Amino acid sequence: MWRGGAVRVLRGGGAGTPRSASGAASAQLRRRLENELEDIRGAGTWKSERIIASRQGPHLRLAGGGAGILNFCANNYLGLSSHAEVIRAAVEALEKFGAGLSSVRFICGTQSIHKDLEEKIARFHQREDAILYASCFDANAGIFEALLTPEDAVLSDELNHASIIDGIRLCKANKYRYKHMDMQDLEAKLQDAQKHCLRLVATDGAFSMDGDIAPLREICQLAQKYDALVFIDECHATGFLGPNGRGTDELLGVMDKVTIINSTLGKALGGAAGGYTTGPKPLIDLLRQRSRPYLFSNSLPPAVVGCASKALDLLMESNAIAQSMAAKTQRFRSKMTAAGFTIAGKDHPICPVMLGDARLAAVMAEDMLNRGIYVIGFSYPVVPKGKARIRVQISAVHSDEDIDHCVEAFTEVGRKHGAIP
Ligand code: PLP
């Protein structure tokens, strides 16, 4: 029973006045935090956030004025984040199923739309079953610990996404890290791992910093030779890589050789949020029993489920959107190369414009924004020293004119700063 008398009324400061605790420990904490923040600023690695005042899309309005900004830095590969049918599906799901479940899945948080979406994801990837998470970060955090024992081994590409690295940290299996996409090194590690019970090779399907695609055919061949399982993170592949957008495994013809796929609903598939694992039914059943981010976190909100479900419907009806993105990627890559830039990766909508120097990447990105093009410079420690770049991401909803405008701006800015002749 609620007892008014037990509640202490905080004095001082009306609504909107921040409160902070007093005392020596609080002061010590504040000093420590301020020093740490100063270190980050001093190291030049401070990440500031631009505030967008419109929907996600190829044309943005930034808070504080900038309208008509051309956006080349979202993971909105298929342009579904603001697709009319995706938004309508979210509104309908919101109205029919409510704002949220106020519960985890196994207590009272599973609705028919969650089951329908899991079935649709499994069908899309041609797998036995699927399980939803609040994010792919959670899916990666939850799988290794649930699946692997201290007798097993996990072999992970050194450039795997942070969430895979964290997920692997949480498990008790023996850990091997192989050099990025280096099949000789993977083979050596697989030989060493023969002494363990079960072996799992874990790799990003497409790597987000370089736009390069894992050599899955070779990985699967090695996995077969050394009796290992293959896990891929398809966050930068689901919906658009491969003839029908199924992902890296479809692109490279190894759909029947990859055992486990983790991916996100927060990039190409409507861009709202959410992640999943798809694979063998007993694995999915086990994750429902053991995977901590699934067991101890709220169900996906119905509106988010509605978005992703509609995005998958659109992709299963036709591959036209994915094909249009591929054509635009090709246009950008070939025009930029002709202008004298080096674009890392191959055929992927992540197009890193390699510049080398961190300062050059930062000033060029700033100058691009002055010309109405929103791109982001990446430098150490996000990418290796000497490999600073501006990462451009192409979307199906960019027009050819948008692409050409971006290339023209890069050419002007690149010449101004001596990045190209
Ligand atoms: N895996 C990769 C390769 C990613 O790029 C990301 C997001 O940046 C994630 C996992 C996490 O996805 P989510 O945003 O669904 O947590």
Side-chain angles (χ1 to χ4, degrees), residues 26 120 166 202 210 239 313:
S26 294
K120 209 175 274 185
D166 284 7
D210 288 323
D313 288 345

Side-chain angles (χ1 to χ4, degrees), residues 40-123:
I40 298 172
R41 281 196 196 90
T45 55
W46 186 267
K47 290 178 269 315
S48 45
E49 298 173 7
R50 289 212 172 85
I51 299 170
I52 296 169
S54 59
R55 286 179 179 179
Q56 182 60 279
H59 302 261
L60 296 178
R61 189 159 50 80
L62 297 183
I69 301 291
L70 258 178
N71 179 16
F72 279 91
C73 53
N75 301 307
N76 183 21
Y77 297 114
L78 298 176
L80 298 182
S81 300
S82 297
H83 191 285
E85 287 185 55
V86 172
I87 293 172
R88 199 173 318 121
V91 171
E92 282 168 12
L94 181 66
E95 285 184 346
K96 186 164 176 197
F97 291 96
L101 273 301
S102 308
S103 173
V104 298
R105 290 284 299 274
F106 81 93
I107 298 182
C108 58
T110 299
Q111 292 171 313
S112 53
I113 43 170
H114 295 95
K115 296 309 287 179
D116 292 347
L117 178 56
E118 286 171 340
E119 182 276 323
K120 209 175 274 185
I121 288 169
R123 193 152 37 88

Side-chain angles (χ1 to χ4, degrees), residues 179-403:
K179 291 193 193 118
H180 181 47
M181 302 208 306
D182 182 331
M183 294 300 98
Q184 267 187 338
D185 196 35
L186 174 59
E187 181 156 21
K189 303 267 154 68
L190 276 166
Q191 282 165 353
D192 193 55
Q194 289 305 292
K195 56 189 181 238
H196 304 301
C197 180
L198 200 97
R199 286 154 293 282
L200 178 69
V201 180
T203 180
D204 279 12
F207 290 85
S208 62
M209 280 301 136
D210 288 323
D212 50 356
I213 293 167
L216 268 194
R217 256 187 235 124
E218 292 76 4
I219 290 176
C220 289
Q221 274 163 10
L222 285 176
Q224 207 159 2
K225 183 169 171 190
Y226 292 99
D227 199 17
L229 302 167
V230 177
F231 160 97
I232 54 176
D233 174 325
E234 288 282 88
C235 283
H236 295 278
T238 300
F240 56 91
L241 283 191
N244 300 296
R246 294 322 189 245
T248 318
D249 58 341
E250 187 195 28
L251 179 74
L252 298 174
V254 289
M255 283 184 90
D256 55 345
K257 301 213 162 48
V258 170
T259 308
I260 307 165
I261 295 173
N262 275 10
S263 193
T264 185
L265 305 172
K267 300 192 195 295
L269 300 185
Y276 57 86
T277 297
T278 184
K281 181 155 180 9
L283 166 70
I284 303 303
D285 288 345
L286 182 78
L287 292 174
R288 289 192 205 282
Q289 303 303 315
R290 290 266 171 79
S291 182
R292 292 167 69 83
Y294 178 83
L295 285 168
F296 300 113
S297 187
N298 212 6
S299 306
L300 271 186
V304 168
V305 176
C307 285
S309 191
K310 177 51 76 175
L312 284 169
D313 288 345
L314 294 171
L315 295 180
M316 287 198 272
E317 268 163 30
S318 151
N319 64 1
I321 312 176
Q323 297 297 334
S324 132
M325 191 220 55
K328 279 157 195 163
T329 298
Q330 204 43 46
R331 186 180 185 95
F332 180 79
R333 283 180 170 271
S334 60
K335 288 198 166 202
M336 285 291 282
T337 307
F341 288 102
T342 302
I343 311 297
K346 191 172 163 278
D347 298 336
H348 196 281
I350 292 173
C351 304
V353 181
M354 302 306 288
L355 297 167
D357 181 67
R359 224 187 75 79
L360 178 64
V363 293
M364 275 185 63
E366 203 54 47
D367 239 359
M368 289 292 285
L369 189 62
N370 294 336
R371 284 166 171 75
I373 313 264
Y374 188 6
V375 285
I376 297 282
F378 289 94
S379 52
Y380 181 80
V382 181
V383 295
K385 275 193 177 134
K387 296 231 164 144
R389 80 270 318 257
I390 291 177
R391 188 176 71 170
V392 171
Q393 288 170 284
I394 305 296
S395 168
V397 283
H398 284 128
S399 66
D400 285 350
E401 292 71 38
D402 293 338
I403 304 269

Side-chain angles (χ1 to χ4, degrees), residues 138-209:
D138 277 355
N140 286 341
I143 190 162
F144 301 101
E145 188 199 17
L147 175 65
L148 300 173
T149 73
E151 281 71 52
D152 299 329
V154 56
L155 303 96
S156 171
D157 187 294
E158 65 180 350
L159 293 192
N160 275 342
H161 189 260
S163 54
I164 299 179
I165 295 169
D166 284 7
I168 288 175
R169 271 194 199 135
L170 290 170
C171 83
K172 295 199 172 69
N174 298 276
K175 297 163 184 106
Y176 294 82
R177 206 163 64 135
Y178 63 91
K179 291 193 193 118
H180 181 47
M181 302 208 306
D182 182 331
M183 294 300 98
Q184 267 187 338
D185 196 35
L186 174 59
E187 181 156 21
K189 303 267 154 68
L190 276 166
Q191 282 165 353
D192 193 55
Q194 289 305 292
K195 56 189 181 238
H196 304 301
C197 180
L198 200 97
R199 286 154 293 282
L200 178 69
V201 180
T203 180
D204 279 12
F207 290 85
S208 62
M209 280 301 136

